[in-house]
Tab-separated table of all heavy atoms in Angstrom:
chain	number	residue	atom	x	y	z
J	169	MET	N	1.117	38.234	11.969
J	169	MET	CA	0.642	38.350	13.336
J	169	MET	C	1.827	38.161	14.282
J	169	MET	O	2.580	37.207	14.154
J	169	MET	CB	-0.430	37.291	13.577
J	169	MET	CG	-0.936	37.237	14.979
J	169	MET	SD	-2.210	35.968	15.101
J	169	MET	CE	-3.253	36.741	16.261
J	170	ALA	N	1.986	39.061	15.183
J	170	ALA	CA	3.092	38.999	16.139
J	170	ALA	C	2.857	37.897	17.166
J	170	ALA	O	1.727	37.608	17.544
J	170	ALA	CB	3.237	40.336	16.851
J	171	ALA	N	3.944	37.285	17.599
J	171	ALA	CA	3.861	36.235	18.611
J	171	ALA	C	3.522	36.832	19.961
J	171	ALA	O	3.959	37.927	20.296
J	171	ALA	CB	5.177	35.480	18.694
J	172	LYS	N	2.727	36.107	20.709
J	172	LYS	CA	2.418	36.538	22.070
J	172	LYS	C	3.633	36.290	22.948
J	172	LYS	O	4.370	35.332	22.744
J	172	LYS	CB	1.238	35.737	22.622
J	172	LYS	CG	-0.035	35.915	21.860
J	172	LYS	CD	-1.097	35.005	22.438
J	172	LYS	CE	-2.284	34.930	21.540
J	172	LYS	NZ	-3.246	33.932	21.997
J	173	THR	N	3.839	37.136	23.933
J	173	THR	CA	4.983	36.937	24.819
J	173	THR	C	4.840	35.656	25.631
J	173	THR	O	5.830	35.078	26.049
J	173	THR	CB	5.179	38.137	25.763
J	173	THR	OG1	3.980	38.352	26.497
J	173	THR	CG2	5.542	39.377	24.978
J	174	THR	N	3.618	35.174	25.827
J	174	THR	CA	3.425	33.933	26.573
J	174	THR	C	3.780	32.719	25.734
J	174	THR	O	3.944	31.633	26.260
J	174	THR	CB	1.964	33.808	27.063
J	174	THR	OG1	1.092	33.900	25.929
J	174	THR	CG2	1.635	34.894	28.068
J	175	ASP	N	3.903	32.896	24.392
J	175	ASP	CA	4.266	31.792	23.518
J	175	ASP	C	5.774	31.554	23.484
J	175	ASP	O	6.227	30.542	22.980
J	175	ASP	CB	3.798	32.055	22.088
J	175	ASP	CG	2.282	32.026	21.958
J	175	ASP	OD1	1.616	31.509	22.880
J	175	ASP	OD2	1.773	32.525	20.941
J	176	ILE	N	6.542	32.478	23.994
J	176	ILE	CA	7.995	32.389	23.939
J	176	ILE	C	8.504	31.746	25.227
J	176	ILE	O	8.215	32.210	26.322
J	176	ILE	CB	8.636	33.778	23.730
J	176	ILE	CG1	8.109	34.388	22.423
J	176	ILE	CG2	10.142	33.687	23.728
J	176	ILE	CD1	8.495	35.827	22.217
J	177	ALA	N	9.262	30.667	25.088
J	177	ALA	CA	9.805	29.966	26.254
J	177	ALA	C	10.956	30.762	26.854
J	177	ALA	O	11.720	31.401	26.149
J	177	ALA	CB	10.282	28.580	25.859
J	178	GLU	N	11.064	30.707	28.142
J	178	GLU	CA	12.187	31.321	28.837
J	178	GLU	C	13.416	30.437	28.646
J	178	GLU	O	13.308	29.240	28.413
J	178	GLU	CB	11.882	31.458	30.336
J	178	GLU	CG	10.718	32.369	30.635
J	178	GLU	CD	10.990	33.812	30.265
J	178	GLU	OE1	12.130	34.273	30.438
J	178	GLU	OE2	10.055	34.478	29.803
J	179	ASP	N	14.608	31.033	28.739
J	179	ASP	CA	15.845	30.279	28.546
J	179	ASP	C	15.963	29.106	29.507
J	179	ASP	O	16.479	28.056	29.142
J	179	ASP	CB	17.065	31.184	28.702
J	179	ASP	CG	17.251	32.099	27.504
J	179	ASP	OD1	16.711	31.787	26.425
J	179	ASP	OD2	17.941	33.113	27.651
J	180	ASP	N	15.499	29.260	30.739
J	180	ASP	CA	15.630	28.174	31.708
J	180	ASP	C	14.644	27.038	31.437
J	180	ASP	O	14.761	25.968	31.997
J	180	ASP	CB	15.482	28.686	33.133
J	180	ASP	CG	14.156	29.397	33.387
J	180	ASP	OD1	13.501	29.810	32.413
J	180	ASP	OD2	13.782	29.542	34.570
J	181	GLU	N	13.662	27.240	30.526
J	181	GLU	CA	12.701	26.204	30.173
J	181	GLU	C	13.154	25.379	28.981
J	181	GLU	O	12.561	24.364	28.672
J	181	GLU	CB	11.345	26.836	29.847
J	181	GLU	CG	10.689	27.534	31.011
J	181	GLU	CD	9.410	28.237	30.600
J	181	GLU	OE1	9.035	28.167	29.418
J	181	GLU	OE2	8.795	28.855	31.464
J	182	LEU	N	14.200	25.809	28.287
J	182	LEU	CA	14.651	25.129	27.077
J	182	LEU	C	15.549	23.953	27.416
J	182	LEU	O	16.414	24.047	28.270
J	182	LEU	CB	15.407	26.100	26.170
J	182	LEU	CG	14.607	27.293	25.661
J	182	LEU	CD1	15.495	28.211	24.849
J	182	LEU	CD2	13.426	26.828	24.835
J	183	GLU	N	15.325	22.846	26.728
J	183	GLU	CA	16.154	21.655	26.892
J	183	GLU	C	17.222	21.662	25.795
J	183	GLU	O	16.931	22.015	24.655
J	183	GLU	CB	15.297	20.392	26.746
J	183	GLU	CG	14.233	20.249	27.807
J	183	GLU	CD	14.805	19.835	29.138
J	183	GLU	OE1	15.827	19.128	29.157
J	183	GLU	OE2	14.226	20.213	30.156
J	184	PRO	N	18.449	21.266	26.094
J	184	PRO	CA	19.453	21.161	25.042
J	184	PRO	C	19.083	20.029	24.079
J	184	PRO	O	18.479	19.034	24.490
J	184	PRO	CB	20.744	20.839	25.793
J	184	PRO	CG	20.329	20.385	27.141
J	184	PRO	CD	18.967	20.932	27.409
J	185	VAL	N	19.410	20.208	22.817
J	185	VAL	CA	19.099	19.176	21.825
J	185	VAL	C	20.153	18.071	21.871
J	185	VAL	O	21.282	18.283	22.306
J	185	VAL	CB	19.017	19.758	20.399
J	185	VAL	CG1	17.855	20.728	20.284
J	185	VAL	CG2	20.303	20.423	19.992
J	186	ALA	N	19.756	16.905	21.418
J	186	ALA	CA	20.674	15.765	21.378
J	186	ALA	C	21.798	16.043	20.387
J	186	ALA	O	21.630	16.806	19.433
J	186	ALA	CB	19.919	14.501	20.981
J	187	ASP	N	22.943	15.426	20.602
J	187	ASP	CA	24.106	15.636	19.734
J	187	ASP	C	23.788	15.333	18.272
J	187	ASP	O	24.177	16.088	17.385
J	187	ASP	CB	25.274	14.771	20.192
J	187	ASP	CG	25.907	15.280	21.477
J	187	ASP	OD1	25.698	16.465	21.813
J	187	ASP	OD2	26.603	14.491	22.137
J	188	GLU	N	23.106	14.240	18.004
J	188	GLU	CA	22.789	13.870	16.617
J	188	GLU	C	21.840	14.890	15.983
J	188	GLU	O	21.998	15.243	14.814
J	188	GLU	CB	22.172	12.466	16.562
J	188	GLU	CG	21.877	11.986	15.156
J	188	GLU	CD	23.107	11.907	14.255
J	188	GLU	OE1	24.229	11.737	14.757
J	188	GLU	OE2	22.937	12.023	13.030
J	189	THR	N	20.877	15.378	16.730
J	189	THR	CA	19.953	16.392	16.217
J	189	THR	C	20.702	17.675	15.901
J	189	THR	O	20.493	18.280	14.842
J	189	THR	CB	18.842	16.672	17.246
J	189	THR	OG1	18.173	15.452	17.544
J	189	THR	CG2	17.846	17.686	16.721
J	190	ALA	N	21.593	18.089	16.789
J	190	ALA	CA	22.388	19.297	16.554
J	190	ALA	C	23.284	19.118	15.338
J	190	ALA	O	23.422	20.033	14.521
J	190	ALA	CB	23.213	19.640	17.792
J	191	HIS	N	23.871	17.937	15.183
J	191	HIS	CA	24.738	17.658	14.037
J	191	HIS	C	23.950	17.787	12.733
J	191	HIS	O	24.414	18.425	11.774
J	191	HIS	CB	25.336	16.258	14.169
J	191	HIS	CG	26.154	15.835	13.001
J	191	HIS	ND1	27.409	16.347	12.759
J	191	HIS	CD2	25.890	14.966	11.994
J	191	HIS	CE1	27.878	15.807	11.644
J	191	HIS	NE2	26.972	14.969	11.167
J	192	GLN	N	22.772	17.209	12.693
J	192	GLN	CA	21.938	17.282	11.494
J	192	GLN	C	21.501	18.724	11.228
J	192	GLN	O	21.490	19.171	10.076
J	192	GLN	CB	20.725	16.373	11.631
J	192	GLN	CG	21.078	14.907	11.617
J	192	GLN	CD	19.902	14.017	11.944
J	192	GLN	OE1	18.849	14.473	12.374
J	192	GLN	NE2	20.081	12.720	11.757
J	193	ALA	N	21.144	19.453	12.278
J	193	ALA	CA	20.742	20.849	12.121
J	193	ALA	C	21.894	21.698	11.597
J	193	ALA	O	21.694	22.573	10.745
J	193	ALA	CB	20.233	21.398	13.452
J	194	ARG	N	23.112	21.446	12.092
J	194	ARG	CA	24.284	22.185	11.603
J	194	ARG	C	24.489	21.962	10.112
J	194	ARG	O	24.825	22.893	9.380
J	194	ARG	CB	25.544	21.758	12.362
J	194	ARG	CG	25.647	22.324	13.740
J	194	ARG	CD	26.997	21.970	14.365
J	194	ARG	NE	26.844	21.958	15.796
J	194	ARG	CZ	26.862	20.853	16.553
J	194	ARG	NH1	27.087	19.671	16.019
J	194	ARG	NH2	26.696	20.947	17.847
J	195	ARG	N	24.293	20.728	9.657
J	195	ARG	CA	24.457	20.422	8.232
J	195	ARG	C	23.457	21.190	7.384
J	195	ARG	O	23.803	21.734	6.333
J	195	ARG	CB	24.311	18.919	7.986
J	195	ARG	CG	25.476	18.115	8.525
J	195	ARG	CD	25.261	16.644	8.270
J	195	ARG	NE	25.059	16.411	6.848
J	195	ARG	CZ	25.824	15.637	6.095
J	195	ARG	NH1	26.824	14.992	6.647
J	195	ARG	NH2	25.577	15.477	4.834
J	196	VAL	N	22.208	21.253	7.823
J	196	VAL	CA	21.173	21.971	7.070
J	196	VAL	C	21.474	23.463	7.058
J	196	VAL	O	21.421	24.108	6.005
J	196	VAL	CB	19.771	21.694	7.662
J	196	VAL	CG1	18.724	22.589	7.033
J	196	VAL	CG2	19.402	20.229	7.489
J	197	VAL	N	21.809	24.016	8.218
J	197	VAL	CA	22.122	25.446	8.297
J	197	VAL	C	23.320	25.773	7.412
J	197	VAL	O	23.293	26.740	6.646
J	197	VAL	CB	22.387	25.875	9.758
J	197	VAL	CG1	22.962	27.273	9.832
J	197	VAL	CG2	21.096	25.789	10.569
J	198	ALA	N	24.354	24.973	7.476
J	198	ALA	CA	25.554	25.221	6.677
J	198	ALA	C	25.245	25.150	5.182
J	198	ALA	O	25.801	25.913	4.391
J	198	ALA	CB	26.650	24.226	7.047
J	199	ALA	N	24.343	24.269	4.791
J	199	ALA	CA	23.996	24.127	3.379
J	199	ALA	C	23.279	25.359	2.842
J	199	ALA	O	23.442	25.714	1.675
J	199	ALA	CB	23.135	22.887	3.175
J	200	TYR	N	22.504	26.021	3.680
J	200	TYR	CA	21.701	27.153	3.217
J	200	TYR	C	22.283	28.517	3.569
J	200	TYR	O	21.827	29.530	3.042
J	200	TYR	CB	20.275	27.048	3.757
J	200	TYR	CG	19.484	25.972	3.051
J	200	TYR	CD1	19.374	24.698	3.596
J	200	TYR	CD2	18.876	26.210	1.827
J	200	TYR	CE1	18.676	23.701	2.950
J	200	TYR	CE2	18.162	25.227	1.169
J	200	TYR	CZ	18.065	23.968	1.735
J	200	TYR	OH	17.374	22.983	1.089
J	201	ALA	N	23.259	28.578	4.437
J	201	ALA	CA	23.873	29.860	4.804
J	201	ALA	C	24.626	30.432	3.606
J	201	ALA	O	25.214	29.697	2.814
J	201	ALA	CB	24.824	29.676	5.981
J	202	THR	N	24.598	31.755	3.488
J	202	THR	CA	25.258	32.394	2.342
J	202	THR	C	26.760	32.507	2.524
J	202	THR	O	27.489	32.588	1.540
J	202	THR	CB	24.667	33.797	2.079
J	202	THR	OG1	24.797	34.580	3.256
J	202	THR	CG2	23.206	33.697	1.684
J	203	ASP	N	27.227	32.540	3.779
J	203	ASP	CA	28.661	32.607	4.041
J	203	ASP	C	28.934	32.128	5.462
J	203	ASP	O	28.010	31.805	6.210
J	203	ASP	CB	29.222	34.016	3.808
J	203	ASP	CG	28.549	35.088	4.655
J	203	ASP	OD1	28.009	34.775	5.744
J	203	ASP	OD2	28.569	36.253	4.238
J	204	ALA	N	30.201	32.065	5.832
J	204	ALA	CA	30.589	31.543	7.144
J	204	ALA	C	30.055	32.394	8.291
J	204	ALA	O	29.639	31.858	9.322
J	204	ALA	CB	32.108	31.426	7.238
J	205	ASP	N	30.037	33.718	8.115
J	205	ASP	CA	29.523	34.587	9.182
J	205	ASP	C	28.041	34.335	9.439
J	205	ASP	O	27.603	34.266	10.587
J	205	ASP	CB	29.746	36.062	8.843
J	205	ASP	CG	31.196	36.471	8.944
J	205	ASP	OD1	31.936	35.850	9.739
J	205	ASP	OD2	31.603	37.408	8.230
J	206	GLU	N	27.270	34.193	8.378
J	206	GLU	CA	25.846	33.908	8.541
J	206	GLU	C	25.650	32.540	9.189
J	206	GLU	O	24.800	32.373	10.066
J	206	GLU	CB	25.121	33.952	7.197
J	206	GLU	CG	23.626	33.698	7.350
J	206	GLU	CD	22.883	33.731	6.047
J	206	GLU	OE1	23.240	32.957	5.126
J	206	GLU	OE2	21.945	34.525	5.945
J	207	CYS	N	26.459	31.582	8.798
J	207	CYS	CA	26.388	30.246	9.374
J	207	CYS	C	26.636	30.292	10.882
J	207	CYS	O	25.865	29.732	11.665
J	207	CYS	CB	27.395	29.340	8.678
J	207	CYS	SG	27.247	27.604	9.102
J	208	ARG	N	27.694	30.974	11.293
J	208	ARG	CA	27.995	31.100	12.728
J	208	ARG	C	26.878	31.809	13.477
J	208	ARG	O	26.497	31.406	14.574
J	208	ARG	CB	29.314	31.840	12.926
J	208	ARG	CG	30.538	30.991	12.700
J	208	ARG	CD	31.810	31.702	13.133
J	208	ARG	NE	32.101	32.852	12.281
J	208	ARG	CZ	32.829	32.803	11.177
J	208	ARG	NH1	33.353	31.657	10.794
J	208	ARG	NH2	33.051	33.887	10.469
J	209	MET	N	26.317	32.861	12.871
J	209	MET	CA	25.235	33.610	13.507
J	209	MET	C	24.010	32.713	13.702
J	209	MET	O	23.410	32.687	14.777
J	209	MET	CB	24.853	34.829	12.670
J	209	MET	CG	23.685	35.600	13.241
J	209	MET	SD	23.034	36.846	12.112
J	209	MET	CE	22.435	35.833	10.777
J	210	LEU	N	23.658	31.957	12.671
J	210	LEU	CA	22.498	31.072	12.769
J	210	LEU	C	22.731	29.957	13.783
J	210	LEU	O	21.826	29.613	14.549
J	210	LEU	CB	22.150	30.503	11.395
J	210	LEU	CG	21.630	31.528	10.384
J	210	LEU	CD1	21.560	30.922	8.995
J	210	LEU	CD2	20.290	32.081	10.815
J	211	PHE	N	23.934	29.376	13.796
J	211	PHE	CA	24.260	28.371	14.813
J	211	PHE	C	24.019	28.935	16.207
J	211	PHE	O	23.409	28.292	17.058
J	211	PHE	CB	25.720	27.933	14.715
J	211	PHE	CG	26.056	26.974	13.612
J	211	PHE	CD1	27.369	26.595	13.420
J	211	PHE	CD2	25.105	26.439	12.773
J	211	PHE	CE1	27.726	25.704	12.419
J	211	PHE	CE2	25.435	25.550	11.764
J	211	PHE	CZ	26.757	25.186	11.593
J	212	SER	N	24.528	30.135	16.435
J	212	SER	CA	24.398	30.766	17.740
J	212	SER	C	22.936	31.040	18.082
J	212	SER	O	22.482	30.770	19.196
J	212	SER	CB	25.205	32.061	17.771
J	212	SER	OG	25.075	32.691	19.021
J	213	MET	N	22.196	31.568	17.128
J	213	MET	CA	20.783	31.885	17.350
J	213	MET	C	19.966	30.638	17.669
J	213	MET	O	19.041	30.693	18.485
J	213	MET	CB	20.193	32.589	16.129
J	213	MET	CG	20.723	33.984	15.913
J	213	MET	SD	20.171	34.703	14.356
J	213	MET	CE	18.434	34.941	14.701
J	214	LEU	N	20.313	29.549	17.032
J	214	LEU	CA	19.582	28.297	17.239
J	214	LEU	C	20.100	27.482	18.422
J	214	LEU	O	19.510	26.478	18.796
J	214	LEU	CB	19.651	27.445	15.970
J	214	LEU	CG	18.930	28.038	14.753
J	214	LEU	CD1	19.260	27.244	13.501
J	214	LEU	CD2	17.436	28.092	14.994
J	215	GLY	N	21.217	27.924	19.000
J	215	GLY	CA	21.781	27.203	20.140
J	215	GLY	C	22.427	25.900	19.739
J	215	GLY	O	22.486	24.954	20.528
J	216	ILE	N	22.937	25.838	18.500
J	216	ILE	CA	23.557	24.601	18.024
J	216	ILE	C	25.023	24.822	17.643
J	216	ILE	O	25.607	24.011	16.927
J	216	ILE	CB	22.786	24.006	16.818
J	216	ILE	CG1	22.696	25.001	15.666
J	216	ILE	CG2	21.423	23.506	17.259
J	216	ILE	CD1	22.156	24.423	14.372
J	217	ALA	N	25.599	25.887	18.138
J	217	ALA	CA	27.015	26.130	17.871
J	217	ALA	C	27.821	24.997	18.501
J	217	ALA	O	27.440	24.457	19.553
J	217	ALA	CB	27.451	27.472	18.446
J	218	PRO	N	28.901	24.578	17.865
J	218	PRO	CA	29.718	23.504	18.447
J	218	PRO	C	30.082	23.816	19.896
J	218	PRO	O	30.476	24.936	20.212
J	218	PRO	CB	30.956	23.479	17.548
J	218	PRO	CG	30.463	24.014	16.241
J	218	PRO	CD	29.443	25.054	16.607
J	219	GLY	N	29.889	22.861	20.779
J	219	GLY	CA	30.184	23.045	22.195
J	219	GLY	C	28.995	23.507	23.013
J	219	GLY	O	29.077	23.587	24.225
J	220	GLU	N	27.842	23.779	22.386
J	220	GLU	CA	26.663	24.248	23.102
J	220	GLU	C	25.631	23.152	23.342
J	220	GLU	O	24.599	23.411	23.912
J	220	GLU	CB	25.979	25.387	22.334
J	220	GLU	CG	26.745	26.681	22.349
J	220	GLU	CD	25.942	27.821	21.743
J	220	GLU	OE1	24.729	27.669	21.536
J	220	GLU	OE2	26.535	28.858	21.485
J	221	THR	N	25.880	21.929	22.883
J	221	THR	CA	24.884	20.860	23.017
J	221	THR	C	25.107	20.069	24.297
J	221	THR	O	26.107	20.246	24.986
J	221	THR	CB	24.937	19.916	21.808
J	221	THR	OG1	26.239	19.355	21.719
J	221	THR	CG2	24.575	20.653	20.531
J	222	ALA	N	24.165	19.181	24.554
J	222	ALA	CA	24.208	18.372	25.779
J	222	ALA	C	25.383	17.439	25.824
J	222	ALA	O	25.936	17.007	24.914
J	222	ALA	CB	22.922	17.553	25.923
C-alpha cells in the first residue's frame, strides 16, 4: 500500500536527531551496508551523515 502524501513530513517539520542517536544509527547502517558508497548514500538519505546532526 502506497503512503499517503499527508503521512510524509515536510523538511521544515523534521527535528535533527541527537548526536548519540545519530552515532548509533551510523554504526547500524555501516554494519549492514554492502560497501562504502551504499553507506554514504544511506547516511545521506537518513540525514545522519557526519556534520548533519544537531
Side-chain angles (χ1 to χ4, degrees):
M169 176 179 215
K172 298 176 192 173
T173 56
T174 56
D175 292 344
I176 301 171
E178 297 294 323
D179 286 339
D180 58 341
E181 296 175 1
L182 298 177
E183 297 285 329
V185 295
D187 287 341
E188 183 60 26
T189 303
H191 176 74
Q192 291 172 349
R194 284 186 206 109
R195 289 179 56 120
V196 171
V197 169
Y200 286 96
T202 57
D203 58 26
D205 288 332
E206 182 180 57
C207 189
R208 281 190 293 270
M209 177 191 64
L210 293 170
F211 283 176
S212 179
M213 291 173 70
L214 294 170
I216 57 171
E220 289 188 13
T221 59

